[in-house]
Amino acid sequence: MEQLFDFDLTLELLGFDFVQTALLAAAVLGLVAGILGPLIVMRRMSFAVHGTAELAFTGAAAALLLGIGVSYGALAGAVIAALLLGLLGGRESDRDSVIGVILAFGLGLGVLLLWYYPGRASNKFGILVGQIVAIEPTDLTTLLIAAGIVLVVSAIIYRPLLFFSVDPAVASARGVPGRLLAPLFAVLIGIATALGVQIVGALLVVALMVTPAAAAARVTASPLRATVLAVIFAELAALGGIVLSLAPGAPVSFFVTAISFTIYLVCRVVEWARNRAAGVNAGDSADSEARREPVSAA
Protein backbone atom coordinates (compact mmCIF):
# COMPACT_ATOMS: atom_id res chain seq x y z
CA MET A 1 0.00 0.00 0.00
CA GLU A 2 2.91 2.35 0.60
CA GLN A 3 3.68 2.20 -3.13
CA LEU A 4 0.13 2.93 -4.23
CA PHE A 5 1.06 6.44 -5.42
CA ASP A 6 4.77 5.92 -6.13
CA PHE A 7 5.16 8.12 -9.23
CA ASP A 8 8.87 7.38 -9.67
CA LEU A 9 8.22 3.65 -9.78
CA THR A 10 5.31 4.19 -12.16
CA LEU A 11 7.49 6.21 -14.54
CA GLU A 12 10.17 3.53 -14.37
CA LEU A 13 7.69 0.75 -15.17
CA LEU A 14 6.27 2.73 -18.10
CA GLY A 15 9.61 2.22 -19.84
CA PHE A 16 9.22 -1.56 -19.95
CA ASP A 17 8.16 -3.15 -23.23
CA PHE A 18 5.40 -5.27 -21.71
CA VAL A 19 3.78 -2.20 -20.15
CA GLN A 20 3.86 -0.32 -23.45
CA THR A 21 2.37 -3.36 -25.17
CA ALA A 22 -0.39 -3.46 -22.58
CA LEU A 23 -1.08 0.27 -23.00
CA LEU A 24 -1.39 -0.12 -26.76
CA ALA A 25 -3.72 -3.09 -26.31
CA ALA A 26 -5.80 -1.10 -23.82
CA ALA A 27 -6.02 1.85 -26.20
CA VAL A 28 -7.32 -0.41 -28.97
CA LEU A 29 -9.79 -2.05 -26.58
CA GLY A 30 -11.01 1.35 -25.40
CA LEU A 31 -11.66 2.42 -28.97
CA VAL A 32 -13.61 -0.73 -29.81
CA ALA A 33 -15.58 -0.66 -26.55
CA GLY A 34 -16.41 3.01 -26.95
CA ILE A 35 -17.76 2.51 -30.47
CA LEU A 36 -19.85 -0.57 -29.67
CA GLY A 37 -20.94 0.56 -26.21
CA PRO A 38 -23.70 3.04 -27.15
CA LEU A 39 -25.35 0.46 -29.40
CA ILE A 40 -25.10 -2.13 -26.62
CA VAL A 41 -26.82 0.25 -24.20
CA MET A 42 -29.41 1.31 -26.77
CA ARG A 43 -30.25 -2.31 -27.60
CA ARG A 44 -30.32 -3.25 -23.88
CA MET A 45 -27.63 -5.91 -24.29
CA SER A 46 -25.56 -5.16 -21.19
CA PHE A 47 -26.46 -8.52 -19.66
CA ALA A 48 -25.51 -10.19 -22.94
CA VAL A 49 -22.00 -8.75 -22.61
CA HIS A 50 -21.68 -10.35 -19.20
CA GLY A 51 -22.94 -13.68 -20.53
CA THR A 52 -20.53 -13.53 -23.45
CA ALA A 53 -17.67 -12.80 -21.07
CA GLU A 54 -18.40 -15.98 -19.16
CA LEU A 55 -17.88 -18.14 -22.24
CA ALA A 56 -14.82 -16.07 -23.13
CA PHE A 57 -13.58 -17.08 -19.68
CA THR A 58 -14.41 -20.71 -20.48
CA GLY A 59 -12.51 -20.54 -23.76
CA ALA A 60 -9.54 -18.90 -22.06
CA ALA A 61 -9.53 -21.60 -19.39
CA ALA A 62 -9.62 -24.31 -22.06
CA ALA A 63 -6.72 -22.65 -23.89
CA LEU A 64 -4.75 -22.47 -20.66
CA LEU A 65 -5.33 -26.16 -20.05
CA LEU A 66 -4.35 -27.09 -23.62
CA GLY A 67 -1.25 -24.89 -23.56
CA ILE A 68 -2.27 -22.56 -26.39
CA GLY A 69 -2.70 -18.80 -26.44
CA VAL A 70 -5.30 -17.57 -23.96
CA SER A 71 -6.42 -14.87 -26.38
CA TYR A 72 -7.33 -17.48 -29.01
CA GLY A 73 -9.36 -19.49 -26.53
CA ALA A 74 -11.15 -16.40 -25.23
CA LEU A 75 -11.94 -15.31 -28.78
CA ALA A 76 -13.35 -18.73 -29.71
CA GLY A 77 -15.43 -18.96 -26.54
CA ALA A 78 -16.82 -15.43 -26.94
CA VAL A 79 -17.77 -15.95 -30.59
CA ILE A 80 -19.54 -19.22 -29.75
CA ALA A 81 -21.40 -17.46 -26.94
CA ALA A 82 -22.37 -14.59 -29.22
CA LEU A 83 -23.69 -16.95 -31.87
CA LEU A 84 -25.73 -18.84 -29.27
CA LEU A 85 -27.15 -15.60 -27.90
CA GLY A 86 -27.92 -14.28 -31.35
CA LEU A 87 -29.60 -17.46 -32.54
CA LEU A 88 -31.41 -18.57 -29.36
CA GLY A 89 -32.25 -15.14 -27.98
CA GLY A 90 -33.74 -13.59 -31.09
CA ARG A 91 -36.97 -12.69 -29.34
CA GLU A 92 -36.58 -10.04 -26.64
CA SER A 93 -38.85 -12.00 -24.27
CA ASP A 94 -36.45 -14.97 -24.42
CA ARG A 95 -33.19 -13.03 -24.28
CA ASP A 96 -32.66 -12.78 -20.53
CA SER A 97 -33.42 -16.44 -19.86
CA VAL A 98 -31.15 -17.58 -22.70
CA ILE A 99 -28.32 -15.39 -21.41
CA GLY A 100 -28.80 -16.74 -17.88
CA VAL A 101 -28.62 -20.33 -19.11
CA ILE A 102 -25.48 -19.73 -21.18
CA LEU A 103 -23.84 -17.66 -18.45
CA ALA A 104 -24.33 -20.36 -15.81
CA PHE A 105 -23.11 -23.14 -18.10
CA GLY A 106 -20.06 -21.18 -19.22
CA LEU A 107 -19.03 -20.22 -15.72
CA GLY A 108 -19.45 -23.77 -14.41
CA LEU A 109 -17.48 -25.29 -17.27
CA GLY A 110 -14.74 -22.68 -16.91
CA VAL A 111 -14.37 -23.43 -13.21
CA LEU A 112 -14.02 -27.15 -14.00
CA LEU A 113 -11.35 -26.48 -16.63
CA LEU A 114 -9.38 -24.28 -14.23
CA TRP A 115 -9.60 -27.00 -11.60
CA TYR A 116 -7.94 -29.41 -14.05
CA TYR A 117 -5.19 -26.91 -14.88
CA PRO A 118 -2.03 -27.90 -12.94
CA GLY A 119 -0.14 -24.64 -13.43
CA ARG A 120 0.30 -21.56 -11.28
CA ALA A 121 -2.67 -20.05 -9.49
CA SER A 122 -1.71 -16.61 -10.80
CA ASN A 123 -2.52 -17.73 -14.34
CA LYS A 124 -5.98 -18.79 -13.22
CA PHE A 125 -6.53 -15.56 -11.34
CA GLY A 126 -5.35 -13.52 -14.31
CA ILE A 127 -8.12 -14.85 -16.55
CA LEU A 128 -10.71 -13.61 -14.08
CA VAL A 129 -9.30 -10.16 -13.23
CA GLY A 130 -6.77 -9.40 -15.97
CA GLN A 131 -3.00 -9.68 -16.15
CA ILE A 132 -1.11 -7.21 -18.33
CA VAL A 133 2.19 -9.10 -18.08
CA ALA A 134 0.53 -11.95 -19.99
CA ILE A 135 0.02 -9.85 -23.12
CA GLU A 136 2.65 -10.99 -25.63
CA PRO A 137 3.46 -9.32 -28.98
CA THR A 138 1.65 -12.18 -30.74
CA ASP A 139 -1.42 -11.48 -28.60
CA LEU A 140 -1.18 -7.82 -29.57
CA THR A 141 -1.12 -8.77 -33.25
CA THR A 142 -4.21 -10.91 -32.81
CA LEU A 143 -5.91 -8.08 -30.93
CA LEU A 144 -5.13 -5.54 -33.64
CA ILE A 145 -6.44 -7.80 -36.39
CA ALA A 146 -9.61 -8.64 -34.47
CA ALA A 147 -10.18 -4.99 -33.55
CA GLY A 148 -9.71 -3.95 -37.17
CA ILE A 149 -12.33 -6.48 -38.29
CA VAL A 150 -14.77 -5.26 -35.63
CA LEU A 151 -14.29 -1.60 -36.57
CA VAL A 152 -14.66 -2.21 -40.32
CA VAL A 153 -17.80 -4.33 -39.95
CA SER A 154 -19.22 -1.85 -37.42
CA ALA A 155 -18.72 1.00 -39.88
CA ILE A 156 -20.55 -0.95 -42.59
CA ILE A 157 -23.59 -1.93 -40.51
CA TYR A 158 -23.73 1.10 -38.18
CA ARG A 159 -26.49 3.08 -39.92
CA PRO A 160 -28.93 0.19 -40.52
CA LEU A 161 -28.21 -1.23 -37.07
CA LEU A 162 -28.83 2.16 -35.44
CA PHE A 163 -32.07 2.51 -37.40
CA PHE A 164 -33.16 -0.98 -36.37
CA SER A 165 -32.24 -0.29 -32.73
CA VAL A 166 -34.25 2.95 -32.57
CA ASP A 167 -37.39 1.73 -34.38
CA PRO A 168 -37.39 -1.99 -35.26
CA ALA A 169 -40.88 -1.97 -36.79
CA VAL A 170 -40.23 0.87 -39.22
CA ALA A 171 -36.75 -0.45 -40.02
CA SER A 172 -38.16 -3.87 -40.89
CA ALA A 173 -40.80 -2.24 -43.08
CA ARG A 174 -38.03 -0.36 -44.88
CA GLY A 175 -36.22 -3.62 -45.60
CA VAL A 176 -33.50 -3.49 -42.91
CA PRO A 177 -32.40 -7.13 -42.33
CA GLY A 178 -32.79 -7.17 -38.55
CA ARG A 179 -32.55 -10.96 -38.27
CA LEU A 180 -29.12 -10.81 -39.90
CA LEU A 181 -27.90 -7.74 -38.05
CA ALA A 182 -28.74 -9.06 -34.57
CA PRO A 183 -26.46 -12.15 -34.61
CA LEU A 184 -23.78 -10.25 -36.54
CA PHE A 185 -23.70 -7.52 -33.90
CA ALA A 186 -23.65 -10.21 -31.21
CA VAL A 187 -20.52 -11.68 -32.81
CA LEU A 188 -18.88 -8.24 -32.83
CA ILE A 189 -19.66 -7.94 -29.12
CA GLY A 190 -18.18 -11.38 -28.57
CA ILE A 191 -14.94 -10.47 -30.32
CA ALA A 192 -14.65 -7.18 -28.43
CA THR A 193 -15.37 -8.93 -25.13
CA ALA A 194 -12.66 -11.49 -25.81
CA LEU A 195 -10.17 -8.69 -26.43
CA GLY A 196 -10.69 -7.44 -22.89
CA VAL A 197 -10.19 -10.73 -21.05
CA GLN A 198 -6.42 -10.43 -20.64
CA ILE A 199 -6.57 -6.73 -19.73
CA VAL A 200 -9.64 -6.41 -17.52
CA GLY A 201 -10.49 -10.05 -16.92
CA ALA A 202 -13.58 -12.02 -17.83
CA LEU A 203 -15.50 -11.02 -14.72
CA LEU A 204 -15.20 -7.25 -15.15
CA VAL A 205 -14.87 -6.65 -18.89
CA VAL A 206 -18.37 -5.17 -18.73
CA ALA A 207 -16.76 -2.14 -17.04
CA LEU A 208 -15.32 -1.13 -20.42
CA MET A 209 -18.01 -2.47 -22.72
CA VAL A 210 -20.99 -0.92 -20.95
CA THR A 211 -20.15 1.62 -18.23
CA PRO A 212 -18.54 4.34 -20.43
CA ALA A 213 -21.46 4.18 -22.86
CA ALA A 214 -23.98 4.24 -20.02
CA ALA A 215 -22.24 7.34 -18.66
CA ALA A 216 -22.27 9.03 -22.07
CA ALA A 217 -25.99 8.30 -22.46
CA ARG A 218 -26.62 10.31 -19.30
CA VAL A 219 -25.28 13.55 -20.75
CA THR A 220 -26.32 13.42 -24.42
CA ALA A 221 -29.07 11.94 -26.57
CA SER A 222 -27.05 12.25 -29.80
CA PRO A 223 -25.68 8.88 -31.00
CA LEU A 224 -22.60 10.58 -32.47
CA ARG A 225 -21.76 12.57 -29.35
CA ALA A 226 -22.50 9.54 -27.17
CA THR A 227 -20.04 7.47 -29.21
CA VAL A 228 -17.31 10.11 -28.98
CA LEU A 229 -17.79 10.47 -25.23
CA ALA A 230 -17.91 6.69 -24.76
CA VAL A 231 -14.57 6.33 -26.57
CA ILE A 232 -13.02 9.07 -24.41
CA PHE A 233 -14.38 7.56 -21.20
CA ALA A 234 -13.29 4.03 -22.17
CA GLU A 235 -9.78 5.23 -23.04
CA LEU A 236 -9.50 7.07 -19.71
CA ALA A 237 -10.59 3.98 -17.82
CA ALA A 238 -8.42 1.49 -19.74
CA LEU A 239 -5.21 3.52 -19.91
CA GLY A 240 -5.66 5.13 -16.50
CA GLY A 241 -6.38 1.75 -14.92
CA ILE A 242 -3.12 0.28 -16.22
CA VAL A 243 -1.04 3.28 -15.15
CA LEU A 244 -2.51 3.34 -11.64
CA SER A 245 -2.02 -0.41 -11.21
CA LEU A 246 1.71 -0.39 -12.02
CA ALA A 247 3.23 0.77 -8.74
CA PRO A 248 1.19 -1.37 -6.33
CA GLY A 249 1.12 -4.32 -8.73
CA ALA A 250 -2.62 -4.66 -8.11
CA PRO A 251 -5.11 -6.15 -10.58
CA VAL A 252 -5.86 -3.73 -13.39
CA SER A 253 -9.56 -4.50 -13.23
CA PHE A 254 -10.06 -2.67 -9.93
CA PHE A 255 -8.69 0.61 -11.23
CA VAL A 256 -10.51 0.28 -14.56
CA THR A 257 -13.82 -0.31 -12.81
CA ALA A 258 -13.16 2.45 -10.28
CA ILE A 259 -12.43 5.02 -13.00
CA SER A 260 -15.43 3.89 -15.05
CA PHE A 261 -17.73 4.08 -12.04
CA THR A 262 -16.43 7.52 -11.09
CA ILE A 263 -17.07 8.81 -14.61
CA TYR A 264 -20.57 7.34 -14.48
CA LEU A 265 -21.32 9.07 -11.16
CA VAL A 266 -20.03 12.40 -12.51
CA CYS A 267 -22.28 12.06 -15.56
CA ARG A 268 -25.24 11.28 -13.32
CA VAL A 269 -24.54 14.45 -11.35
CA VAL A 270 -24.27 16.46 -14.57
CA GLU A 271 -27.59 15.01 -15.74
CA TRP A 272 -29.24 15.83 -12.41
CA ALA A 273 -27.91 19.40 -12.42
CA ARG A 274 -29.04 19.92 -16.02
CA ASN A 275 -32.52 18.55 -15.33
CA ARG A 276 -32.84 20.68 -12.22
CA ALA A 277 -31.76 23.81 -14.10
CA ALA A 278 -34.24 23.00 -16.86
CA GLY A 279 -36.97 22.53 -14.27
CA VAL A 280 -36.17 25.84 -12.61
CA ASN A 281 -36.17 27.64 -15.95
CA ALA A 282 -39.48 26.03 -16.89
CA GLY A 283 -40.91 27.05 -13.54
CA ASP A 284 -39.74 30.64 -13.99
CA SER A 285 -41.33 30.76 -17.44
CA ALA A 286 -44.61 29.42 -16.05
CA ASP A 287 -44.59 32.01 -13.26
CA SER A 288 -43.93 34.81 -15.72
CA GLU A 289 -46.76 33.60 -17.95
CA ALA A 290 -49.09 33.43 -14.95
CA ARG A 291 -48.23 36.99 -13.99
CA ARG A 292 -48.93 38.19 -17.51
CA GLU A 293 -52.34 36.54 -17.77
CA PRO A 294 -54.27 38.93 -15.46
CA VAL A 295 -52.81 41.90 -17.32
CA SER A 296 -53.96 40.49 -20.65
CA ALA A 297 -57.41 39.77 -19.25
CA ALA A 298 -57.72 43.32 -17.99
Side-chain angles (χ1 to χ4, degrees):
M1 292 299 293
E2 65 273 8
Q3 293 183 337
L4 186 59
F5 299 106
D6 191 331
F7 296 106
D8 292 334
L9 179 58
T10 299
L11 290 176
E12 180 182 347
L13 291 172
L14 286 173
F16 284 86
D17 291 339
F18 77 90
V19 174
Q20 296 172 5
T21 300
L23 288 172
L24 180 56
V28 174
L29 176 61
L31 177 62
V32 173
I35 290 175
L36 295 183
L39 287 171
I40 292 172
V41 173
M42 187 180 301
R43 293 176 61 81
R44 299 178 181 179
M45 296 181 67
S46 301
F47 190 36
V49 173
H50 186 54
T52 303
E54 299 305 335
L55 277 192
F57 156 71
T58 304
L64 194 64
L65 182 63
L66 295 174
I68 61 178
V70 171
S71 59
Y72 299 112
L75 186 60
V79 170
I80 292 173
L83 288 173
L84 289 175
L85 293 177
L87 296 174
L88 300 180
R91 291 188 301 177
E92 189 172 353
S93 58
D94 296 337
R95 188 176 299 163
D96 283 349
S97 59
V98 169
I99 294 171
V101 170
I102 294 175
L103 185 153
F105 171 73
L107 187 59
L109 180 58
V111 169
L112 177 65
L113 294 174
L114 284 187
W115 179 72
Y116 273 113
Y117 177 66
R120 296 180 300 171
S122 60
N123 291 335
K124 303 177 182 180
F125 189 64
I127 295 177
L128 295 174
V129 298
Q131 191 176 23
I132 62 172
V133 296
I135 302 176
E136 301 289 341
T138 53
D139 296 325
L140 180 60
T141 301
T142 303
L143 185 147
L144 291 174
I145 294 173
I149 294 173
V150 171
L151 293 176
V152 170
V153 176
S154 298
I156 295 172
I157 69 172
Y158 181 81
R159 288 178 64 87
L161 182 61
L162 179 63
F163 185 19
F164 188 79
S165 301
V166 173
D167 196 335
V170 176
S172 297
R174 294 285 184 87
V176 176
R179 291 187 177 181
L180 174 63
L181 291 176
L184 179 58
F185 183 61
V187 170
L188 296 182
I189 292 175
I191 296 174
T193 301
L195 301 183
V197 168
Q198 285 187 284
I199 300 174
V200 189
L203 293 181
L204 299 174
V205 71
V206 69
L208 277 181
M209 295 298 298
V210 175
T211 308
R218 290 290 174 177
V219 295
T220 181
S222 166
L224 177 60
R225 286 195 292 269
T227 301
V228 173
L229 286 176
V231 170
I232 294 173
F233 295 160
E235 295 288 2
L236 286 174
L239 297 176
I242 289 179
V243 172
L244 291 178
S245 71
L246 291 177
V252 178
S253 54
F254 163 73
F255 296 98
V256 171
T257 54
I259 294 173
S260 296
F261 185 61
T262 301
I263 292 173
Y264 179 77
L265 290 180
V266 170
C267 290
R268 289 293 297 252
V269 171
V270 171
E271 179 191 33
W272 172 82
R274 180 184 298 171
N275 291 340
R276 184 177 182 184
V280 170
N281 293 335
D284 291 343
S285 299
D287 291 341
S288 300
E289 188 67 26
R291 285 194 294 269
R292 285 195 297 267
E293 284 180 1
V295 177
S296 299

